[in-house]
PDB file of all heavy atoms in Angstrom:
ATOM      1  N   GLU A   1     -19.856   3.758   0.264  1.00  0.00           N
ATOM      2  CA  GLU A   1     -20.852   3.177  -0.598  1.00  0.00           C
ATOM      3  C   GLU A   1     -20.409   1.632  -1.005  1.00  0.00           C
ATOM      4  O   GLU A   1     -21.212   0.805  -1.099  1.00  0.00           O
ATOM      5  CB  GLU A   1     -20.958   3.973  -1.992  1.00  0.00           C
ATOM      6  CG  GLU A   1     -22.035   3.361  -3.005  1.00  0.00           C
ATOM      7  CD  GLU A   1     -21.780   4.204  -4.113  1.00  0.00           C
ATOM      8  OE1 GLU A   1     -21.685   5.527  -4.221  1.00  0.00           O
ATOM      9  OE2 GLU A   1     -22.072   3.616  -5.325  1.00  0.00           O
ATOM     10  N   THR A   2     -19.100   1.491  -1.198  1.00  0.00           N
ATOM     11  CA  THR A   2     -18.674   0.121  -1.686  1.00  0.00           C
ATOM     12  C   THR A   2     -18.091  -0.702  -0.621  1.00  0.00           C
ATOM     13  O   THR A   2     -17.741  -1.854  -0.696  1.00  0.00           O
ATOM     14  CB  THR A   2     -17.526   0.350  -2.723  1.00  0.00           C
ATOM     15  OG1 THR A   2     -16.461   1.132  -2.122  1.00  0.00           O
ATOM     16  CG2 THR A   2     -18.045   1.168  -3.935  1.00  0.00           C
ATOM     17  N   GLU A   3     -18.021  -0.183   0.677  1.00  0.00           N
ATOM     18  CA  GLU A   3     -17.341  -0.770   1.847  1.00  0.00           C
ATOM     19  C   GLU A   3     -15.988  -1.172   1.483  1.00  0.00           C
ATOM     20  O   GLU A   3     -15.437  -2.340   1.813  1.00  0.00           O
ATOM     21  CB  GLU A   3     -18.200  -2.022   2.196  1.00  0.00           C
ATOM     22  CG  GLU A   3     -19.636  -1.694   2.685  1.00  0.00           C
ATOM     23  CD  GLU A   3     -20.374  -2.851   3.145  1.00  0.00           C
ATOM     24  OE1 GLU A   3     -20.001  -3.975   2.812  1.00  0.00           O
ATOM     25  OE2 GLU A   3     -21.495  -2.691   3.822  1.00  0.00           O
ATOM     26  N   ALA A   4     -15.199  -0.443   0.873  1.00  0.00           N
ATOM     27  CA  ALA A   4     -13.815  -0.632   0.433  1.00  0.00           C
ATOM     28  C   ALA A   4     -12.982  -0.574   1.705  1.00  0.00           C
ATOM     29  O   ALA A   4     -13.190   0.223   2.604  1.00  0.00           O
ATOM     30  CB  ALA A   4     -13.349   0.363  -0.555  1.00  0.00           C
ATOM     31  N   GLY A   5     -11.943  -1.416   1.641  1.00  0.00           N
ATOM     32  CA  GLY A   5     -11.006  -1.495   2.777  1.00  0.00           C
ATOM     33  C   GLY A   5      -9.655  -0.843   2.624  1.00  0.00           C
ATOM     34  O   GLY A   5      -8.939  -0.751   3.481  1.00  0.00           O
ATOM     35  N   VAL A   6      -9.394  -0.606   1.250  1.00  0.00           N
ATOM     36  CA  VAL A   6      -8.049   0.072   0.994  1.00  0.00           C
ATOM     37  C   VAL A   6      -8.277   0.987  -0.239  1.00  0.00           C
ATOM     38  O   VAL A   6      -9.180   0.735  -1.201  1.00  0.00           O
ATOM     39  CB  VAL A   6      -7.002  -1.030   0.660  1.00  0.00           C
ATOM     40  CG1 VAL A   6      -7.453  -1.904  -0.513  1.00  0.00           C
ATOM     41  CG2 VAL A   6      -5.685  -0.367   0.329  1.00  0.00           C
ATOM     42  N   VAL A   7      -7.588   2.048  -0.206  1.00  0.00           N
ATOM     43  CA  VAL A   7      -7.497   3.069  -1.357  1.00  0.00           C
ATOM     44  C   VAL A   7      -6.117   3.034  -1.850  1.00  0.00           C
ATOM     45  O   VAL A   7      -5.149   3.222  -1.099  1.00  0.00           O
ATOM     46  CB  VAL A   7      -7.952   4.538  -1.010  1.00  0.00           C
ATOM     47  CG1 VAL A   7      -7.805   5.394  -2.129  1.00  0.00           C
ATOM     48  CG2 VAL A   7      -9.371   4.456  -0.315  1.00  0.00           C
ATOM     49  N   ILE A   8      -5.969   2.731  -3.189  1.00  0.00           N
ATOM     50  CA  ILE A   8      -4.703   2.652  -3.709  1.00  0.00           C
ATOM     51  C   ILE A   8      -4.409   3.692  -4.678  1.00  0.00           C
ATOM     52  O   ILE A   8      -5.190   3.978  -5.755  1.00  0.00           O
ATOM     53  CB  ILE A   8      -4.584   1.221  -4.515  1.00  0.00           C
ATOM     54  CG1 ILE A   8      -4.873   0.074  -3.591  1.00  0.00           C
ATOM     55  CG2 ILE A   8      -3.212   1.082  -5.142  1.00  0.00           C
ATOM     56  CD1 ILE A   8      -4.867  -1.270  -4.203  1.00  0.00           C
ATOM     57  N   PHE A   9      -3.287   4.437  -4.606  1.00  0.00           N
ATOM     58  CA  PHE A   9      -2.971   5.482  -5.391  1.00  0.00           C
ATOM     59  C   PHE A   9      -1.920   5.194  -6.480  1.00  0.00           C
ATOM     60  O   PHE A   9      -0.990   4.463  -6.145  1.00  0.00           O
ATOM     61  CB  PHE A   9      -2.433   6.795  -4.584  1.00  0.00           C
ATOM     62  CG  PHE A   9      -3.381   7.477  -3.735  1.00  0.00           C
ATOM     63  CD1 PHE A   9      -4.026   6.888  -2.569  1.00  0.00           C
ATOM     64  CD2 PHE A   9      -3.967   8.586  -4.136  1.00  0.00           C
ATOM     65  CE1 PHE A   9      -4.970   7.467  -1.784  1.00  0.00           C
ATOM     66  CE2 PHE A   9      -5.003   9.290  -3.368  1.00  0.00           C
ATOM     67  CZ  PHE A   9      -5.475   8.725  -2.125  1.00  0.00           C
ATOM     68  N   ASP A  10      -2.142   5.790  -7.730  1.00  0.00           N
ATOM     69  CA  ASP A  10      -1.369   5.317  -8.896  1.00  0.00           C
ATOM     70  C   ASP A  10       0.089   5.797  -8.805  1.00  0.00           C
ATOM     71  O   ASP A  10       0.923   5.261  -9.617  1.00  0.00           O
ATOM     72  CB  ASP A  10      -2.026   5.683 -10.182  1.00  0.00           C
ATOM     73  CG  ASP A  10      -1.419   5.110 -11.345  1.00  0.00           C
ATOM     74  OD1 ASP A  10      -1.056   3.849 -11.386  1.00  0.00           O
ATOM     75  OD2 ASP A  10      -1.154   5.820 -12.329  1.00  0.00           O
ATOM     76  N   ASP A  11       0.414   6.738  -8.103  1.00  0.00           N
ATOM     77  CA  ASP A  11       1.846   7.245  -7.980  1.00  0.00           C
ATOM     78  C   ASP A  11       2.363   6.971  -6.568  1.00  0.00           C
ATOM     79  O   ASP A  11       1.628   6.646  -5.650  1.00  0.00           O
ATOM     80  CB  ASP A  11       1.832   8.837  -8.284  1.00  0.00           C
ATOM     81  CG  ASP A  11       1.619   9.061  -9.699  1.00  0.00           C
ATOM     82  OD1 ASP A  11       2.421   8.827 -10.500  1.00  0.00           O
ATOM     83  OD2 ASP A  11       0.389   9.546  -9.909  1.00  0.00           O
ATOM     84  N   GLU A  12       3.669   7.024  -6.386  1.00  0.00           N
ATOM     85  CA  GLU A  12       4.317   6.953  -5.109  1.00  0.00           C
ATOM     86  C   GLU A  12       3.948   8.203  -4.367  1.00  0.00           C
ATOM     87  O   GLU A  12       4.326   9.317  -4.686  1.00  0.00           O
ATOM     88  CB  GLU A  12       5.823   6.682  -5.095  1.00  0.00           C
ATOM     89  CG  GLU A  12       6.431   6.568  -3.627  1.00  0.00           C
ATOM     90  CD  GLU A  12       7.858   6.078  -3.783  1.00  0.00           C
ATOM     91  OE1 GLU A  12       8.076   5.177  -4.540  1.00  0.00           O
ATOM     92  OE2 GLU A  12       8.491   6.584  -2.881  1.00  0.00           O
ATOM     93  N   LEU A  13       3.288   8.108  -3.118  1.00  0.00           N
ATOM     94  CA  LEU A  13       2.982   9.174  -2.273  1.00  0.00           C
ATOM     95  C   LEU A  13       4.192   9.490  -1.479  1.00  0.00           C
ATOM     96  O   LEU A  13       4.891   8.718  -1.012  1.00  0.00           O
ATOM     97  CB  LEU A  13       1.745   8.901  -1.312  1.00  0.00           C
ATOM     98  CG  LEU A  13       0.381   8.548  -2.054  1.00  0.00           C
ATOM     99  CD1 LEU A  13      -0.514   8.044  -0.937  1.00  0.00           C
ATOM    100  CD2 LEU A  13      -0.029   9.648  -2.835  1.00  0.00           C
ATOM    101  N   THR A  14       4.420  10.817  -1.135  1.00  0.00           N
ATOM    102  CA  THR A  14       5.475  11.171  -0.168  1.00  0.00           C
ATOM    103  C   THR A  14       4.968  10.837   1.162  1.00  0.00           C
ATOM    104  O   THR A  14       3.720  10.649   1.295  1.00  0.00           O
ATOM    105  CB  THR A  14       5.700  12.699  -0.237  1.00  0.00           C
ATOM    106  OG1 THR A  14       4.515  13.461   0.202  1.00  0.00           O
ATOM    107  CG2 THR A  14       5.991  13.178  -1.766  1.00  0.00           C
ATOM    108  N   PRO A  15       5.870  10.685   2.129  1.00  0.00           N
ATOM    109  CA  PRO A  15       5.377  10.320   3.514  1.00  0.00           C
ATOM    110  C   PRO A  15       4.364  11.415   4.003  1.00  0.00           C
ATOM    111  O   PRO A  15       3.369  11.108   4.630  1.00  0.00           O
ATOM    112  CB  PRO A  15       6.638  10.425   4.326  1.00  0.00           C
ATOM    113  CG  PRO A  15       7.663   9.947   3.320  1.00  0.00           C
ATOM    114  CD  PRO A  15       7.323  10.552   1.973  1.00  0.00           C
ATOM    115  N   THR A  16       4.559  12.705   3.744  1.00  0.00           N
ATOM    116  CA  THR A  16       3.580  13.757   4.127  1.00  0.00           C
ATOM    117  C   THR A  16       2.303  13.572   3.467  1.00  0.00           C
ATOM    118  O   THR A  16       1.228  13.617   4.009  1.00  0.00           O
ATOM    119  CB  THR A  16       4.154  15.105   3.775  1.00  0.00           C
ATOM    120  OG1 THR A  16       5.361  15.304   4.553  1.00  0.00           O
ATOM    121  CG2 THR A  16       3.114  16.279   4.213  1.00  0.00           C
ATOM    122  N   GLN A  17       2.171  13.245   2.122  1.00  0.00           N
ATOM    123  CA  GLN A  17       1.042  13.113   1.419  1.00  0.00           C
ATOM    124  C   GLN A  17       0.264  11.837   2.070  1.00  0.00           C
ATOM    125  O   GLN A  17      -0.931  11.928   2.157  1.00  0.00           O
ATOM    126  CB  GLN A  17       1.269  12.828  -0.026  1.00  0.00           C
ATOM    127  CG  GLN A  17       1.523  14.076  -0.895  1.00  0.00           C
ATOM    128  CD  GLN A  17       1.850  13.691  -2.329  1.00  0.00           C
ATOM    129  OE1 GLN A  17       2.544  12.776  -2.636  1.00  0.00           O
ATOM    130  NE2 GLN A  17       1.505  14.615  -3.233  1.00  0.00           N
ATOM    131  N   GLN A  18       1.030  10.819   2.287  1.00  0.00           N
ATOM    132  CA  GLN A  18       0.345   9.631   2.864  1.00  0.00           C
ATOM    133  C   GLN A  18      -0.250   9.948   4.127  1.00  0.00           C
ATOM    134  O   GLN A  18      -1.420   9.450   4.428  1.00  0.00           O
ATOM    135  CB  GLN A  18       1.303   8.502   2.956  1.00  0.00           C
ATOM    136  CG  GLN A  18       0.711   7.164   3.405  1.00  0.00           C
ATOM    137  CD  GLN A  18       1.403   5.923   2.766  1.00  0.00           C
ATOM    138  OE1 GLN A  18       2.176   6.087   1.961  1.00  0.00           O
ATOM    139  NE2 GLN A  18       0.868   4.847   3.240  1.00  0.00           N
ATOM    140  N   ARG A  19       0.410  10.728   4.962  1.00  0.00           N
ATOM    141  CA  ARG A  19      -0.211  11.038   6.377  1.00  0.00           C
ATOM    142  C   ARG A  19      -1.435  11.823   6.272  1.00  0.00           C
ATOM    143  O   ARG A  19      -2.401  11.620   6.854  1.00  0.00           O
ATOM    144  CB  ARG A  19       0.826  11.789   7.184  1.00  0.00           C
ATOM    145  CG  ARG A  19       2.018  10.919   7.757  1.00  0.00           C
ATOM    146  CD  ARG A  19       2.780  11.589   8.923  1.00  0.00           C
ATOM    147  NE  ARG A  19       3.515  12.767   8.463  1.00  0.00           N
ATOM    148  CZ  ARG A  19       4.697  12.797   7.957  1.00  0.00           C
ATOM    149  NH1 ARG A  19       5.295  11.653   7.843  1.00  0.00           N
ATOM    150  NH2 ARG A  19       5.365  13.868   7.557  1.00  0.00           N
ATOM    151  N   ASN A  20      -1.423  12.762   5.267  1.00  0.00           N
ATOM    152  CA  ASN A  20      -2.477  13.742   5.070  1.00  0.00           C
ATOM    153  C   ASN A  20      -3.673  12.990   4.499  1.00  0.00           C
ATOM    154  O   ASN A  20      -4.800  13.124   4.945  1.00  0.00           O
ATOM    155  CB  ASN A  20      -2.184  14.867   4.124  1.00  0.00           C
ATOM    156  CG  ASN A  20      -1.154  15.868   4.733  1.00  0.00           C
ATOM    157  OD1 ASN A  20      -1.051  15.929   5.896  1.00  0.00           O
ATOM    158  ND2 ASN A  20      -0.424  16.496   3.777  1.00  0.00           N
ATOM    159  N   VAL A  21      -3.458  12.025   3.601  1.00  0.00           N
ATOM    160  CA  VAL A  21      -4.527  11.256   2.970  1.00  0.00           C
ATOM    161  C   VAL A  21      -5.155  10.301   3.913  1.00  0.00           C
ATOM    162  O   VAL A  21      -6.353  10.193   4.039  1.00  0.00           O
ATOM    163  CB  VAL A  21      -3.987  10.483   1.757  1.00  0.00           C
ATOM    164  CG1 VAL A  21      -5.055   9.536   1.267  1.00  0.00           C
ATOM    165  CG2 VAL A  21      -3.600  11.472   0.561  1.00  0.00           C
ATOM    166  N   GLU A  22      -4.337   9.666   4.720  1.00  0.00           N
ATOM    167  CA  GLU A  22      -4.826   8.722   5.746  1.00  0.00           C
ATOM    168  C   GLU A  22      -5.691   9.491   6.850  1.00  0.00           C
ATOM    169  O   GLU A  22      -6.682   8.959   7.273  1.00  0.00           O
ATOM    170  CB  GLU A  22      -3.730   8.029   6.519  1.00  0.00           C
ATOM    171  CG  GLU A  22      -3.099   6.980   5.610  1.00  0.00           C
ATOM    172  CD  GLU A  22      -1.764   6.282   6.278  1.00  0.00           C
ATOM    173  OE1 GLU A  22      -1.261   6.908   7.142  1.00  0.00           O
ATOM    174  OE2 GLU A  22      -1.418   5.254   5.820  1.00  0.00           O
ATOM    175  N   SER A  23      -5.169  10.672   7.106  1.00  0.00           N
ATOM    176  CA  SER A  23      -5.956  11.463   8.114  1.00  0.00           C
ATOM    177  C   SER A  23      -7.277  11.930   7.540  1.00  0.00           C
ATOM    178  O   SER A  23      -8.316  11.962   8.291  1.00  0.00           O
ATOM    179  CB  SER A  23      -5.221  12.655   8.448  1.00  0.00           C
ATOM    180  OG  SER A  23      -5.930  13.561   9.345  1.00  0.00           O
ATOM    181  N   ALA A  24      -7.423  12.208   6.294  1.00  0.00           N
ATOM    182  CA  ALA A  24      -8.674  12.580   5.691  1.00  0.00           C
ATOM    183  C   ALA A  24      -9.602  11.479   5.353  1.00  0.00           C
ATOM    184  O   ALA A  24     -10.786  11.552   5.353  1.00  0.00           O
ATOM    185  CB  ALA A  24      -8.308  13.281   4.390  1.00  0.00           C
ATOM    186  N   LEU A  25      -9.025  10.219   5.011  1.00  0.00           N
ATOM    187  CA  LEU A  25      -9.993   9.144   4.610  1.00  0.00           C
ATOM    188  C   LEU A  25     -10.224   8.164   5.816  1.00  0.00           C
ATOM    189  O   LEU A  25     -11.281   7.480   5.565  1.00  0.00           O
ATOM    190  CB  LEU A  25      -9.217   8.437   3.493  1.00  0.00           C
ATOM    191  CG  LEU A  25      -9.035   9.188   2.118  1.00  0.00           C
ATOM    192  CD1 LEU A  25      -8.327   8.337   1.104  1.00  0.00           C
ATOM    193  CD2 LEU A  25     -10.217   9.739   1.646  1.00  0.00           C
ATOM    194  N   GLU A  26      -9.350   8.064   6.689  1.00  0.00           N
ATOM    195  CA  GLU A  26      -9.535   7.006   7.783  1.00  0.00           C
ATOM    196  C   GLU A  26      -9.853   5.678   7.328  1.00  0.00           C
ATOM    197  O   GLU A  26     -10.683   4.895   7.772  1.00  0.00           O
ATOM    198  CB  GLU A  26     -10.752   7.447   8.701  1.00  0.00           C
ATOM    199  CG  GLU A  26     -10.428   8.830   9.388  1.00  0.00           C
ATOM    200  CD  GLU A  26     -11.440   9.188  10.439  1.00  0.00           C
ATOM    201  OE1 GLU A  26     -12.273   8.298  10.785  1.00  0.00           O
ATOM    202  OE2 GLU A  26     -11.275  10.286  11.029  1.00  0.00           O
ATOM    203  N   VAL A  27      -9.059   5.309   6.264  1.00  0.00           N
ATOM    204  CA  VAL A  27      -9.071   3.895   5.737  1.00  0.00           C
ATOM    205  C   VAL A  27      -7.659   3.613   5.252  1.00  0.00           C
ATOM    206  O   VAL A  27      -6.798   4.478   5.139  1.00  0.00           O
ATOM    207  CB  VAL A  27     -10.044   3.856   4.562  1.00  0.00           C
ATOM    208  CG1 VAL A  27      -9.496   4.641   3.321  1.00  0.00           C
ATOM    209  CG2 VAL A  27     -10.315   2.430   4.120  1.00  0.00           C
ATOM    210  N   LYS A  28      -7.288   2.378   5.106  1.00  0.00           N
ATOM    211  CA  LYS A  28      -5.908   2.022   4.749  1.00  0.00           C
ATOM    212  C   LYS A  28      -5.529   2.553   3.337  1.00  0.00           C
ATOM    213  O   LYS A  28      -6.402   2.508   2.400  1.00  0.00           O
ATOM    214  CB  LYS A  28      -5.710   0.482   4.724  1.00  0.00           C
ATOM    215  CG  LYS A  28      -4.262   0.155   4.347  1.00  0.00           C
ATOM    216  CD  LYS A  28      -3.941  -1.252   4.801  1.00  0.00           C
ATOM    217  CE  LYS A  28      -4.616  -2.313   3.970  1.00  0.00           C
ATOM    218  NZ  LYS A  28      -4.059  -3.744   4.187  1.00  0.00           N
ATOM    219  N   VAL A  29      -4.423   3.209   3.255  1.00  0.00           N
ATOM    220  CA  VAL A  29      -3.986   3.848   2.064  1.00  0.00           C
ATOM    221  C   VAL A  29      -2.600   3.338   1.637  1.00  0.00           C
ATOM    222  O   VAL A  29      -1.724   3.179   2.536  1.00  0.00           O
ATOM    223  CB  VAL A  29      -3.826   5.484   2.288  1.00  0.00           C
ATOM    224  CG1 VAL A  29      -3.198   6.066   1.043  1.00  0.00           C
ATOM    225  CG2 VAL A  29      -5.241   5.940   2.427  1.00  0.00           C
ATOM    226  N   ILE A  30      -2.518   2.867   0.419  1.00  0.00           N
ATOM    227  CA  ILE A  30      -1.225   2.378  -0.118  1.00  0.00           C
ATOM    228  C   ILE A  30      -0.993   3.017  -1.437  1.00  0.00           C
ATOM    229  O   ILE A  30      -2.071   3.532  -2.062  1.00  0.00           O
ATOM    230  CB  ILE A  30      -1.051   0.880  -0.191  1.00  0.00           C
ATOM    231  CG1 ILE A  30      -1.972   0.256  -1.152  1.00  0.00           C
ATOM    232  CG2 ILE A  30      -1.167   0.258   1.137  1.00  0.00           C
ATOM    233  CD1 ILE A  30      -1.739  -1.208  -1.402  1.00  0.00           C
ATOM    234  N   ASP A  31       0.162   2.953  -1.987  1.00  0.00           N
ATOM    235  CA  ASP A  31       0.558   3.661  -3.195  1.00  0.00           C
ATOM    236  C   ASP A  31       1.028   2.629  -4.258  1.00  0.00           C
ATOM    237  O   ASP A  31       1.131   1.501  -3.790  1.00  0.00           O
ATOM    238  CB  ASP A  31       1.444   4.909  -3.083  1.00  0.00           C
ATOM    239  CG  ASP A  31       2.830   4.428  -2.523  1.00  0.00           C
ATOM    240  OD1 ASP A  31       3.102   3.325  -2.453  1.00  0.00           O
ATOM    241  OD2 ASP A  31       3.483   5.371  -2.004  1.00  0.00           O
ATOM    242  N   ARG A  32       1.364   3.007  -5.345  1.00  0.00           N
ATOM    243  CA  ARG A  32       1.740   2.104  -6.458  1.00  0.00           C
ATOM    244  C   ARG A  32       2.981   1.391  -5.992  1.00  0.00           C
ATOM    245  O   ARG A  32       3.131   0.182  -6.209  1.00  0.00           O
ATOM    246  CB  ARG A  32       2.105   2.832  -7.689  1.00  0.00           C
ATOM    247  CG  ARG A  32       2.369   1.991  -8.969  1.00  0.00           C
ATOM    248  CD  ARG A  32       2.745   2.967 -10.199  1.00  0.00           C
ATOM    249  NE  ARG A  32       2.970   2.101 -11.328  1.00  0.00           N
ATOM    250  CZ  ARG A  32       2.054   1.738 -12.193  1.00  0.00           C
ATOM    251  NH1 ARG A  32       0.867   2.144 -12.064  1.00  0.00           N
ATOM    252  NH2 ARG A  32       2.461   1.041 -13.316  1.00  0.00           N
ATOM    253  N   THR A  33       3.882   2.006  -5.317  1.00  0.00           N
ATOM    254  CA  THR A  33       5.191   1.394  -4.920  1.00  0.00           C
ATOM    255  C   THR A  33       4.906   0.211  -3.863  1.00  0.00           C
ATOM    256  O   THR A  33       5.436  -0.841  -4.043  1.00  0.00           O
ATOM    257  CB  THR A  33       6.232   2.449  -4.284  1.00  0.00           C
ATOM    258  OG1 THR A  33       6.457   3.278  -5.380  1.00  0.00           O
ATOM    259  CG2 THR A  33       7.353   1.611  -3.716  1.00  0.00           C
ATOM    260  N   ALA A  34       4.147   0.589  -2.998  1.00  0.00           N
ATOM    261  CA  ALA A  34       3.698  -0.462  -1.932  1.00  0.00           C
ATOM    262  C   ALA A  34       3.035  -1.665  -2.557  1.00  0.00           C
ATOM    263  O   ALA A  34       3.285  -2.848  -2.156  1.00  0.00           O
ATOM    264  CB  ALA A  34       2.873   0.160  -0.820  1.00  0.00           C
ATOM    265  N   LEU A  35       2.157  -1.410  -3.581  1.00  0.00           N
ATOM    266  CA  LEU A  35       1.529  -2.361  -4.191  1.00  0.00           C
ATOM    267  C   LEU A  35       2.481  -3.389  -5.008  1.00  0.00           C
ATOM    268  O   LEU A  35       2.279  -4.599  -4.832  1.00  0.00           O
ATOM    269  CB  LEU A  35       0.405  -1.830  -5.159  1.00  0.00           C
ATOM    270  CG  LEU A  35      -0.436  -2.800  -5.990  1.00  0.00           C
ATOM    271  CD1 LEU A  35      -1.300  -3.626  -5.068  1.00  0.00           C
ATOM    272  CD2 LEU A  35      -1.362  -2.044  -6.987  1.00  0.00           C
ATOM    273  N   ILE A  36       3.497  -2.702  -5.696  1.00  0.00           N
ATOM    274  CA  ILE A  36       4.330  -3.527  -6.524  1.00  0.00           C
ATOM    275  C   ILE A  36       5.229  -4.314  -5.525  1.00  0.00           C
ATOM    276  O   ILE A  36       5.490  -5.614  -5.775  1.00  0.00           O
ATOM    277  CB  ILE A  36       5.185  -2.654  -7.338  1.00  0.00           C
ATOM    278  CG1 ILE A  36       4.357  -2.010  -8.463  1.00  0.00           C
ATOM    279  CG2 ILE A  36       6.377  -3.411  -7.884  1.00  0.00           C
ATOM    280  CD1 ILE A  36       5.113  -1.069  -9.479  1.00  0.00           C
ATOM    281  N   LEU A  37       5.574  -3.805  -4.455  1.00  0.00           N
ATOM    282  CA  LEU A  37       6.430  -4.474  -3.503  1.00  0.00           C
ATOM    283  C   LEU A  37       5.693  -5.684  -2.948  1.00  0.00           C
ATOM    284  O   LEU A  37       6.209  -6.806  -2.591  1.00  0.00           O
ATOM    285  CB  LEU A  37       6.958  -3.614  -2.391  1.00  0.00           C
ATOM    286  CG  LEU A  37       8.025  -2.568  -2.862  1.00  0.00           C
ATOM    287  CD1 LEU A  37       8.390  -1.666  -1.527  1.00  0.00           C
ATOM    288  CD2 LEU A  37       9.242  -3.310  -3.323  1.00  0.00           C
ATOM    289  N   ASP A  38       4.365  -5.512  -2.690  1.00  0.00           N
ATOM    290  CA  ASP A  38       3.490  -6.556  -2.218  1.00  0.00           C
ATOM    291  C   ASP A  38       3.488  -7.704  -3.219  1.00  0.00           C
ATOM    292  O   ASP A  38       3.578  -8.867  -2.887  1.00  0.00           O
ATOM    293  CB  ASP A  38       2.041  -6.060  -2.015  1.00  0.00           C
ATOM    294  CG  ASP A  38       1.230  -7.081  -1.447  1.00  0.00           C
ATOM    295  OD1 ASP A  38       1.173  -7.370  -0.133  1.00  0.00           O
ATOM    296  OD2 ASP A  38       0.529  -7.827  -2.234  1.00  0.00           O
ATOM    297  N   VAL A  39       3.286  -7.420  -4.500  1.00  0.00           N
ATOM    298  CA  VAL A  39       3.251  -8.441  -5.560  1.00  0.00           C
ATOM    299  C   VAL A  39       4.686  -9.154  -5.685  1.00  0.00           C
ATOM    300  O   VAL A  39       4.806 -10.257  -5.749  1.00  0.00           O
ATOM    301  CB  VAL A  39       2.939  -7.752  -6.819  1.00  0.00           C
ATOM    302  CG1 VAL A  39       3.143  -8.769  -8.009  1.00  0.00           C
ATOM    303  CG2 VAL A  39       1.523  -7.319  -6.949  1.00  0.00           C
ATOM    304  N   PHE A  40       5.725  -8.335  -5.456  1.00  0.00           N
ATOM    305  CA  PHE A  40       7.165  -8.934  -5.474  1.00  0.00           C
ATOM    306  C   PHE A  40       7.191  -9.896  -4.295  1.00  0.00           C
ATOM    307  O   PHE A  40       7.854 -10.948  -4.471  1.00  0.00           O
ATOM    308  CB  PHE A  40       8.240  -7.793  -5.255  1.00  0.00           C
ATOM    309  CG  PHE A  40       8.627  -7.017  -6.462  1.00  0.00           C
ATOM    310  CD1 PHE A  40       7.902  -7.188  -7.684  1.00  0.00           C
ATOM    311  CD2 PHE A  40       9.745  -6.364  -6.528  1.00  0.00           C
ATOM    312  CE1 PHE A  40       8.186  -6.535  -8.887  1.00  0.00           C
ATOM    313  CE2 PHE A  40      10.148  -5.576  -7.654  1.00  0.00           C
ATOM    314  CZ  PHE A  40       9.321  -5.723  -8.801  1.00  0.00           C
TER     315      PHE A  40
END
């Protein structure tokens, strides 16, 4: 609906959670840790 290019999760995802979420959403997925490191 929003044509979003990324979904950002508020906690740090485990590698398994990230793989599962990416498989289900088929869009770029990052978590809070990746976002903070990007700002850093």
Side-chain angles (χ1 to χ4, degrees):
E1 178 185 331
T2 60
E3 298 182 345
V6 61
V7 177
I8 304 176
F9 288 78
D10 188 47
D11 292 285
E12 180 170 320
L13 301 176
T14 67
T16 299
Q17 283 177 326
Q18 184 148 352
R19 287 195 294 272
N20 292 338
V21 171
E22 287 176 339
S23 177
L25 297 182
E26 298 192 5
V27 68
K28 183 161 70 172
V29 171
I30 66 173
D31 59 19
R32 185 184 183 91
T33 296
L35 181 62
I36 291 175
L37 289 176
D38 182 87
V39 174
F40 277 14

